[in-house]
Every structure is written in structure tokens, then in C-alpha cells.
Amino acid sequence: MNPFDDLSALVTAALGQLQAQGVLPEGQDLARVQVEPPRDAAHGDAATNAALILAKAAGAKPMDIAAALAVALEGAPEVDAAVAAAPGFVNLSMRRSFWLRRVPDILAAGALYGRSDQGGGQKVNVEFCSANPTGPLHVGHARGAVFGDALSSLLQHVGYEVTREYYINDGGAQIDTLARTIHHRYREALGMDVGPLPAGYYPLAELVPVAEAIARRDGDRWVMAPEEEWLEAFGQEAVQAMMRRIKGDLAALGIHHDVFSSERRLRSGGEVDAALARLDEQGLIYEGVLPAPKGKPIEDWEPTPQLLFRATAYGDDIDRPLKRSNGAWTYFAADLAYHFDKYERGFNAMIDVLGADHGGYVKRMQAGVRALSKEEARLDVMLCQLVKLMDGGQPLKMSKRAGRIVTLKDVVDEVGKDVFRFIMLTRKNDAALEFDLVKVKEQSKDNPVFYVQYAHARISSVFRNAAGEGIETGPPALMAADLDRLSDPLELALIRQAAGFPRIVTQAAEAREPHRIAFFLHELAGQFHALWTTGKERQELRFIVAEDAGLTAARLAMLAAVQTVLAAGLKLIGVEPVEEMH
RNA sequence: GCGCCCGUAGCUCAGUAGGAUAGAGCGUCGGAUUCCUAAUCCGAAGGCCACAGGUUCGAAUCCUGUCGGGCGCACCA
């Protein structure tokens, strides 16, 4: 399916010939040999560095090997030309047929184009967007959400069995505050004069109906009741309400998690003890005193003995506390239990998508996973840099107190999920992303997502016109088209680009960089638009040629292939292809 | 002070696991629409890839150091 796999096979075969001829020694390591598209199209369809890699071990000059390799490749099927180039590349040009037969490949594969089994069905757990249930999602959360979702799709496409997972942080002190906020609203709902919301409580509109419902259901029975009697129940009602909101926000982005795990259930279910026992048996837990932290001085710091995890045994900088001075497990202890739980559910590959402000957390968690799984499982952490929210070129500071929270829902309602998702993927995850509310709204026509969707829509338009002229446009007609009629360099370049999709998918998945899909689609759309406009200047390049049904069929097949790749790529990043713009 | 991330065109950013003459969008300037959607296309200008060393056939990419920016640095999540 991937043309460059075919080309790699050609090069490997040619190298085998050279070995048989004694030009190259046997048993060379070919791992570093690459066959990739050259940056400069004038160098042909592909270039290999084989001669440069193998020269030293062979004790020969790179150019000599390259020359021999070029001769061997000249004899390979579908090779039009193979030439050695300084300092030792071999440039390959393929016959037209090599590229033309990608068109039926693409048409046959449809939305599955680019799929591979490189993952071998391995189970991967992708945890992303585990925002605290203490408020609606904001724009910063959404970056990790879009990234995690697109990465999951990408990994599925290359043959991993992916589980999208959300960790609900419903076990900490913040939930108690949430519960007290409910209690305050509850007394308010009963008509009591409760005064303004105390400092530190959550001024969330979502909590009011929750409190009102309790008031209707239970009357005043909790008003004077001691906190222990209602704290947990109120907290859980609040969490459920917030999670409904969060799930709704995510659904508006087209994101659906497979599994929601509760921190509270881990804590109460004895799983923390189980995980720590596992560490204890390896001698990785001890009672100790940590040195004073280096950074800002902490006023009430005093050296106290704590239960510690020996994270330094696995590369962390210091050992990490498991228990707080009040006796409760730390967040880290619960998270250890959570990741142990993932391991026990069969995940040896875990990916956590976190905000960059959690960067300091990575080493200890990776240490924990290695220890808990006894080196069987591996945790990768993808950090998403924070979103710099701008408002017409001015930085926008978000402040819960001032009520200036830009919620995800507000933005998505305004610009739509497709624009939002695409923008989130037009930056590498570890680079800061500038998100200007004004620009995104006002200049949405300049947004790259429209550029790509427009290409898709234009192709749909061609098919509508073709059908209107009575031209057969169904799959059988397209598959039967004589593609040899396609000969213009612009057409072949377009097919080459479309056929590059499987390679991009593979690389994006390996590098875990879904943004590469977005950039690829932009390029493909650009080549298509260029060809379209050329048809305005050169009549003979128009897609529908009234007097030549064979040529028209070939061009329609080509367009169908391009549209298929556009749709497949957009699907991977969760953006809708459209039939027409409006 | 320590750790992680970033530094590429005026601006926002790519740069295909080290490849050949570093790219795109926006902005600026100049062109293209009887004709499949101009939400498009073509061209021009614009660069000491932060800086200095190193590794090698080859470095924006890897290593070391410096400068600049972001994030983090017991018992929060």
C-alpha cells in the first residue's frame, strides 16, 4: 500500500545483488538505509542513502557503491532511471505506471487507506483530558483533548488496539469544597439568607440546579446536619453534574472516551494498598525525610518523616512522598494505583497526555510504572504546551475570580468543531500555541481547515457536474478507467502526493505527532487547487473533457482518489469533509 | 539553584527519526475570473535556522556551553 515500502524492497533487492556479486560484504546492517522522497523533486521520486551508510563497512568509496547500486536498480521493474549523485545518493525515477496504479489502490481502500498493522494489535491505553471535575472545560484542556483523540485515531489506523481513557480526579480535598459549595447553594435554595459565596468556593452555575434538586428531594434535613453526614454524598452529586457537563463539552468536539476511571473508587477500593504492596515487596518503599525543596522557600516547611517511594531507583531526581502528614494518600499514590490498574487490565503500553504544567510529574510516574510492572509496561507522556489565549492581539488572562473563563463550549459554539480541532493540530504538541479569539472568529475564512475542506468540496462539485452531463461516475466506471491517459506532470505530482499518505500516517503514528496529518492535508489540497486553476488557463487540463470520455474517466478516477485521501486524513483528525462550501 | 520544553522570514508556525539549493500561511508588492465554486491560483521581496564550540561524508536536526522565553521544583490536583 505504501509506495515507499515497494521502493525499499527494490533497494534491498538491489543491495542483495551487490552482495552476491561481491561488491558489498554479506551481513550488513541495513537498519539505517532509507528510501525517501527527495526534498527537491528534480532528484526524482525517491532517493536512498544506502551507499553512504554502507561505504565504511565495505571499505569502498560511497560514489563507487552508489554507481554500482544505480546499475543494479536500473534493471529493476518499473524503474525509469537510477543515477548516483554526490556524495553518494542514488536517485530513483519510476515509470508512470508505478504511480498510476496507486489510484485504484486508493479507491479500493477508501477510508481505510493508509491503514497498516505496524501496531500488531498491541493494546495501548491513551489517557487524555483528565480535567478536574470542578468546572467546565476551557480552551487549555481542549488542546490535550483534541491531541489525545487524534493520536488515538492515528494509532488505531496503524493497527493498535486503543482505549481512550479519562481519569476523574474525584478523590481530593477539592471535592470537599465542591460539596460545601453545594451545601451553601442548597441552603440558598431553601430561601435562607446565606450571604455571598465564601472565598474559595466554586461559583459554578451548574451547581445551583444540583442543590435545588436536593432541596426539593430532602427538604431541610441537611441544614443543621454535621458535615460528615452529607459531605461525601453532596460531593458525588456535584462530580456527576460536572462530568455530565464535561462529557457534553467533549461530545461537541466529537470526542468520546471508552473508559472513565474514578480516583475515589481506587482509593476506597483498596487498590492503593495493592499497588504499594507490590512496590514494598521490591523494597521500594521506606520511611524517610526529604531534603528541603530548593526553589521558593516554604514558610512552614519542617523536616518530617514520610512514607516514600524510591523513585530514584528508576531515574527520578528525588524519592516521592506517598502519604500526607494528615495520613491520607497523596495524589501520586492514587495515580500509582491507577497506572497499576491499567497494567493489570493488560496495557503494557500507556500514553498520558498532560499539560506542560505537569512536566515535573513525568519522571516519577514513569518510574512508578516501570517498578509496578517490573519493567514490562512502558509509560509515555506527551506534554501539550499551554494555550496562549489572545484577544485581538492582547494576551487574555483567565481568572476564575473575575469570571473571565473562556470555556471550550463558548469557543466551539462560535467557530465550530472543525475549525477548532484543526487549529489545535496546526502546532506541534510541545510548542506553545497562540489562540486568538478575535482572529479565529473574524478571519475564519483564512483558516487552513477551509482550504482543505474546499478542495474536498470542489471535487464533489466536479462529480456533480459530471453526473449532470450524463457521465458515469460510479466506482465501477472509475476503477475501469484507463489511467494511462494521465500524463501531465501536474497530474502525476498530485497522485504522488496522495499516494504519500500511508507513509505520513506511519511516521505520524511512530512520532506520535498527529499534526503531521493536518500539514499533509494542507499540502495535498494545495496541489489540487493549483491543478484546478491551471485548468482555467489551459483548457486541455480541465477535468471534464466533453469530447474525450476516456480522458475524463481517468481524471475523475484521479480526483476520486485525491478526495478519498482528503476524507481519510480529515477523519483521522476528526474533521468533517464537506460536499460544498456555503 | 536544579529539571523539562521552546528559540527558524515582519507575524504565526512546518521542516518528513542526520541528507542535496531551509518551506508554508498571514502580512507587503505585482498579476490571473466568458469557462468544473476566486473561501482559489501565479509571481516578487523577505533568513548568520538565538550564539559559540564539538561529533561526521553531511547538522536547523545529535552532544557541550552561553544567552533569551515558558513550565515545574515536600505533605495540591
Side-chain angles (χ1 to χ4, degrees):
Chain A
M1 194 104 85
N2 182 345
F4 288 90
D5 289 346
D6 296 354
L7 294 171
S8 285
L10 287 184
V11 170
T12 303
L15 290 172
Q17 269 184 45
L18 296 188
Q19 286 177 338
Q21 294 164 7
V23 178
L24 282 176
E26 303 277 343
Q28 293 238 29
D29 179 16
L30 303 182
R32 288 176 59 221
V33 171
Q34 298 172 342
V35 181
E36 47 183 20
R39 194 167 288 171
D40 187 342
H43 291 140
D45 293 324
T48 179
N49 61 353
L52 290 161
I53 298 300
L54 303 176
K56 192 169 279 181
K61 288 184 197 161
M63 276 307 282
D64 292 344
I65 297 178
L69 181 57
V71 170
L73 281 168
E74 285 272 8
E78 288 190 296
V79 171
D80 189 41
V83 293
F89 291 101
V90 177
N91 294 326
L92 270 178
S93 295
M94 304 303 292
R95 298 215 178 102
R96 257 189 323 140
S97 62
F98 179 83
W99 294 109
L100 291 178
R101 60 191 170 84
R102 308 300 155 181
V103 170
D105 277 2
I106 294 170
L107 294 178
L112 301 183
Y113 189 58
R115 201 162 213 149
S116 68
D117 62 350
Q118 102 192 60
Q122 191 189 359
K123 291 179 68 172
V124 181
N125 185 290
V126 183
E127 181 202 331
F128 62 96
C129 191
S130 297
N132 295 337
T134 56
L137 295 181
H138 57 66
V139 174
H141 295 126
R143 184 176 190 187
V146 171
F147 175 86
D149 188 50
L151 176 60
S152 297
S153 298
L154 200 49
L155 293 174
Q156 283 174 319
H157 210 65
V158 299
Y160 290 93
E161 187 188 322
V162 176
T163 296
R164 292 168 166 84
E165 191 147 335
Y166 189 118
Y167 183 46
I168 308 173
N169 299 138
D170 55 0
Q174 58 180 356
I175 304 302
D176 293 342
T177 306
L178 213 51
R180 294 188 187 103
T181 305
I182 294 275
H183 193 258
H184 180 93
R185 294 296 192 200
Y186 156 74
R187 287 181 294 145
E188 198 171 57
L190 289 171
M192 302 175 63
D193 180 14
V194 292
L197 202 65
Y201 283 34
Y202 293 101
L204 295 166
E206 281 83 354
L207 299 181
V208 175
V210 176
E212 288 170 349
I214 294 172
R216 276 197 302 276
R217 186 187 66 200
D218 297 344
D220 63 359
R221 62 178 293 197
W222 306 115
V223 172
M224 300 303 289
E227 197 173 86
E228 311 86 74
E229 291 181 17
W230 50 263
L231 192 71
E232 179 159 338
F234 277 34
Q236 287 316 300
E237 296 226 27
V239 167
Q240 281 170 27
M242 291 318 307
M243 286 309 297
R244 275 195 297 275
R245 168 69 195 267
I246 288 172
K247 286 180 188 178
D249 289 352
L250 287 170
L253 268 182
I255 295 172
H256 303 275
H257 290 80
D258 302 307
V259 175
F260 289 82
S261 288
S262 157
E263 176 189 356
R264 177 170 150 273
R265 205 162 357 166
L266 284 169
R267 286 176 185 267
S268 62
E271 306 202 32
V272 178
D273 300 285
L276 296 196
R278 173 112 169 159
L279 296 176
D280 200 22
E281 76 190 26
Q282 300 177 70
L284 293 171
I285 289 180
Y286 69 102
E287 193 87 14
V289 179
L290 288 175
K294 294 288 187 200
K296 311 160 207 161
I298 299 171
E299 294 160 20
D300 60 348
W301 187 87
E302 49 188 46
T304 47
Q306 286 177 296
L307 194 64
L308 300 172
F309 165 54
R310 204 181 296 280
T312 47
Y314 289 90
D316 200 356
D317 307 316
I318 55 170
D319 294 334
R320 303 294 179 175
L322 298 166
K323 213 172 231 190
R324 291 195 251 155
S325 49
N326 69 3
W329 295 120
T330 58
Y331 177 82
F332 175 56
D335 214 4
L336 282 172
Y338 177 42
H339 283 78
F340 185 50
D341 176 62
K342 290 183 193 174
Y343 169 67
E344 290 197 307
R345 280 187 279 141
F347 294 106
N348 283 355
M350 310 176 194
I351 298 176
D352 287 0
V353 179
L354 301 176
D357 53 342
H358 291 71
Y361 193 71
V362 175
K363 278 187 186 173
R364 85 187 66 168
M365 204 61 243
Q366 287 176 327
V369 168
R370 288 176 60 192
L372 286 165
S373 72
K374 299 186 179 168
E375 303 279 8
E376 275 186 11
R378 176 192 159 118
L379 168 70
D380 284 324
V381 180
M382 306 301 296
L383 292 178
C384 286
Q385 279 295 330
L386 305 183
V387 175
K388 270 189 288 184
L389 208 54
M390 308 287 278
D391 186 14
Q394 295 302 310
L396 189 67
K397 284 266 190 272
M398 289 210 287
S399 152
K400 284 190 182 179
R401 245 168 303 149
R404 275 203 322 235
I405 300 178
V406 180
T407 67
L408 170 63
K409 189 170 186 309
D410 292 343
V411 179
V412 172
D413 285 351
E414 191 81 22
V415 306
K417 103 174 156 61
D418 289 341
V419 170
F420 189 86
R421 290 188 65 122
F422 206 96
I423 288 184
M424 287 295 154
L425 291 174
T426 49
R427 270 100 182 114
K428 218 168 21 185
N429 63 290
D430 53 7
L433 186 152
E434 197 169 288
F435 191 93
D436 194 309
L437 291 167
V438 172
K439 280 187 184 171
V440 166
K441 289 173 189 171
E442 288 183 356
Q443 302 187 359
S444 59
K445 283 182 182 176
D446 292 330
N447 192 289
V449 67
F450 289 106
Y451 186 80
V452 176
Q453 285 180 320
Y454 186 37
H456 188 276
R458 272 181 151 178
I459 293 173
S460 293
S461 169
V462 173
F463 276 95
R464 281 193 298 271
N465 281 293
E469 293 181 26
I471 297 170
E472 192 61 52
T473 58
L478 298 178
M479 291 296 278
D482 176 16
L483 296 170
D484 202 44
R485 300 295 308 278
L486 301 172
S487 59
D488 193 273
L490 285 172
E491 294 172 331
L492 292 174
L494 184 60
I495 293 170
R496 244 195 304 267
Q497 176 76 15
F501 184 64
R503 182 169 178 272
I504 295 294
V505 170
T506 300
Q507 291 181 332
E510 253 173 47
R512 294 182 173 161
E513 294 185 345
H515 75 277
R516 294 191 195 192
I517 301 295
F519 282 89
F520 169 84
L521 291 174
H522 195 263
E523 265 181 56
L524 179 59
Q527 291 209 22
F528 164 75
H529 286 310
L531 181 57
W532 175 291
T533 308
T534 306
K536 288 185 179 302
E537 292 150 16
R538 294 168 52 196
Q539 287 285 325
E540 75 276 13
L541 278 183
R542 291 170 65 79
F543 303 125
I544 300 173
V545 186
E547 62 278 11
D548 193 338
L551 183 57
T552 300
R555 286 186 174 157
L556 290 180
M558 169 188 76
L559 290 184
V562 170
Q563 192 179 40
T564 297
V565 172
L566 287 172
L570 286 172
K571 187 182 175 195
L572 275 183
I573 60 176
V575 175
E576 304 295 329
V578 297
E579 301 301 317
E580 51 189 333
M581 309 295 281
H582 41 75

